[in-house]
Amino acid sequence: MKVLVIGGGGREHAIVHAISKSPKVDKIYAAPGNAGISELAECIDIKDTNVDALVTFAYEHKIDLTVVGPEASLALGIVDAFEAHGLKIFGPNKAAAQVECSKDWAKAVMVKHGIPTAAYRTFTDYDEALKYIHEQGAPIVLKYDGLAAGKGVVVAETMAEAEAALKDMLLDAEFGEGSVVIEQCLRGTEFSFMCMVDGNNVLPLPIAKDHKRAYDNDRGPNTGGMGAFSPVPLIPKKDVEWSLTNIMQRMADAMVDEGCSFSGLLYGGLMLTADGVKVIEFNARFGDPETEVVLPRVKSDLFSVMLEVASHKLTTRELQISDDACVGVVLASKGYPKSYDKGFRVVLPCLKPNHIIYHMGTRHKGLDLLTNGGRVLMGEALAPTLSEARQAAYNDILPSIYCDNLFYRSDIAKDF
Ligand code: AMP
Ligand code: GLY
């Protein structure tokens, strides 16, 4: 079978890697892919948002399954466009992608169907929002409603921070015209729960935890994620089971009831609080960098499961998961998540078994490998315990990667 993977980050490298292990797969294309992906797939120079060109490519190359990585493609309705041409594609249609693309819509569905989440209200009027913030007090969370590449959320610890964020979002229209969801600030331990979903059928993957802040000890600005690990012993098994039934399954059922059945990967960004597990957010796609530490633990043929989902016949009831733990550390360009330079030369080691380097932002120039993004590489290891995996990542893999312009956090998976 022929597969097309859309996207060009570490998440897509991990997806291509997992799919390449399937005996059913003969050929993989990636659009646009990256230097690491090009070792497993043929990279084609089409942007993830150029839906028409992607449909044409898939049609002309008789692609059996397309897998969508980024939310931007989903928000444009790439799934609707492929299905209208009779092409199989793994991902939710535009209506179902609202679960990520419209925070207000997702919150309303959660409340209606009794899915636990932070109390909230939505505003478009600045004065009304300001009044609400003053009534509620700090800490308080402000979320710009719409896609803002992970940068649209401010957890304001003080009233001054909350006022400044509100001004940015509603008065200065920094993000464009839109509304703001203002919600109660929850405290607890966050984890990521990804499930394969097709309608009412939900197939869980192992949970993972990412590290969103740029620097050690959770300091510095929020990023796309600076590292991740799986499993997460901090979260008891009974809470994961509870979340599967009362959050992930209930949301899948709710979406069917709402007339926008979800098909693809439903990502729950969850928090274990003193009052149980609550939803921080849902995403309509694989998490990045969680996917990079979860997929290497999956022993089942992921391609077959994705094909079942895309065919709307998800019959697999359980995935085979390795007992090994996985720890991954992101190497990012100095300056990330603010401004940074690209084009620095990278030299990579030969890898031992159970060591992996996923490429997040790289490209080839002749024989050279160059940095080509904010997050550049993810060095990771599989081992019987999290401590051993962490040690292997930090002591064996990271020191063997040469580049002048990269930095990483030294405390990924320190507490688990
Ligand atoms: P989101 O993009 O919704 O995942 O938000 C980014 C990050 O902001 C989350 O991973 C949390 O760390 C934090 N956050 C979002 N909503 C809340 C909330 N209601 N209470 C506490 N922290 C939150
Ligand atoms: N790691 C969080 C996300 O993918 O949105």
Side-chain angles (χ1 to χ4, degrees):
M1 291 216 180
K2 291 199 234 174
V3 185
L4 168 63
V5 175
I6 296 174
R11 165 181 56 204
E12 289 77 18
H13 194 178
I15 292 171
V16 167
H17 184 208
I19 288 174
S20 72
K21 294 180 197 162
S22 172
K24 295 183 189 153
V25 173
D26 305 305
K27 170 92 187 168
I28 308 176
Y29 296 94
N34 63 37
I37 292 174
S38 72
E39 288 167 20
L40 299 167
E42 183 177 333
C43 293
I44 51 169
D45 191 15
I46 305 177
K47 271 196 173 169
D48 56 17
T49 48
N50 191 348
V51 173
D52 289 345
L54 291 165
V55 168
T56 304
F57 180 88
Y59 199 77
E60 286 177 353
H61 289 77
K62 300 193 170 50
I63 300 294
D64 297 292
L65 176 68
T66 297
V67 179
V68 187
E71 64 271 28
S73 318
L74 298 170
L76 287 169
I78 193 168
V79 172
D80 310 64
F82 269 63
E83 288 186 340
H85 287 81
L87 292 161
K88 273 199 183 129
I89 183 160
F90 179 91
N93 62 20
K94 196 172 176 178
Q98 279 190 94
V99 74
E100 169 165 9
C101 304
S102 168
K103 291 188 189 289
D104 183 45
W105 185 86
K107 284 296 242 185
V109 173
M110 283 186 252
V111 170
K112 182 170 166 196
H113 294 266
I115 295 165
T117 187
Y120 81 107
R121 274 187 59 190
T122 305
F123 296 91
T124 48
D125 182 81
Y126 173 78
D127 293 319
E128 281 175 27
L130 189 65
K131 187 162 161 257
Y132 183 71
I133 286 177
H134 284 152
E135 281 163 16
Q136 299 296 311
I140 195 156
V141 180
L142 292 91
K143 300 185 178 184
Y144 178 74
D145 197 15
L147 289 174
K151 291 166 202 137
V153 177
V154 174
V155 181
E157 297 293 342
T158 65
M159 195 50 76
E161 273 178 74
E163 285 173 2
L166 187 67
K167 188 164 166 291
D168 280 352
M169 291 180 189
L170 281 186
L171 276 193
D172 301 343
E174 187 192 330
F175 301 94
E177 293 279 301
S179 54
V180 173
V181 172
I182 300 180
E183 62 180 49
Q184 168 200 12
C185 186
L186 301 175
R187 302 284 190 202
T189 307
E190 280 183 68
F191 63 105
S192 309
F193 197 2
M194 299 192 282
C195 294
M196 301 277 191
V197 173
D198 182 53
N200 300 101
N201 294 316
V202 177
L203 178 64
L205 288 156
I207 64 166
K209 186 164 173 55
D210 77 350
H211 296 257
K212 285 207 164 80
R213 300 293 198 96
Y215 315 127
D216 281 11
N217 301 314
D218 287 334
R219 284 181 298 108
N222 261 326
T223 69
M226 293 298 289
F229 61 95
S230 175
V232 190
L234 274 169
I235 308 297
K237 203 165 165 235
K238 68 169 182 15
D239 292 303
V240 178
E241 278 162 11
W242 188 90
S243 306
L244 177 59
T245 308
N246 296 287
I247 294 179
M248 306 307 290
Q249 180 70 54
R250 200 176 283 180
M251 191 62 179
D253 295 344
M255 292 188 70
V256 172
D257 286 352
E258 295 297 325
C260 48
S261 175
F262 190 95
S263 177
L265 191 290
L266 184 64
Y267 166 114
L270 311 182
M271 187 186 274
L272 177 56
T273 72
D275 302 327
V277 180
K278 299 199 176 179
V279 178
I280 297 284
E281 64 165 349
F282 282 111
N283 289 332
R285 38 124 193 126
F286 282 98
D288 195 353
E290 293 92 331
T291 300
E292 290 93 310
V293 294
V294 167
L295 295 193
R297 299 187 60 220
V298 177
K299 293 196 283 189
S300 309
D301 181 347
L302 198 77
F303 167 77
S304 297
V305 180
M306 287 178 154
L307 191 62
E308 284 181 16
V309 172
S311 309
H312 306 299
K313 287 184 194 130
L314 176 57
T315 51
T316 301
R317 293 269 67 98
E318 199 180 346
L319 292 171
Q320 295 264 306
I321 305 300
S322 157
D323 288 334
D324 277 349
C326 190
V327 173
V329 183
V330 170
L331 293 116
S333 297
K334 285 179 186 166
Y336 175 79
K338 302 214 169 72
S339 65
Y340 53 84
D341 294 322
K342 300 194 267 194
F344 290 82
R345 202 163 155 251
V346 183
V347 182
L348 297 181
C350 289
L351 289 171
K352 293 189 203 148
N354 289 334
H355 291 183
I356 304 172
I357 295 177
Y358 285 129
H359 292 231
M360 306 183 94
T362 59
R363 69 183 177 92
H364 279 128
K365 187 179 178 199
L367 290 178
D368 282 341
L369 178 65
L370 302 180
T371 66
N372 194 36
R375 293 187 294 172
V376 175
L377 298 164
M378 183 145 164
E380 58 185 69
L382 284 155
T385 65
L386 280 166
S387 305
E388 288 165 283
R390 174 168 197 273
Q391 248 177 351
Y394 277 111
N395 299 345
D396 299 338
I397 304 173
L398 297 190
S400 63
I401 297 173
Y402 294 96
C403 180
D404 282 342
N405 197 49
L406 299 179
F407 78 100
Y408 56 84
R409 276 180 62 159
S410 65
D411 63 347
I412 302 302
K414 194 164 145 225
D415 302 309
F416 48 78

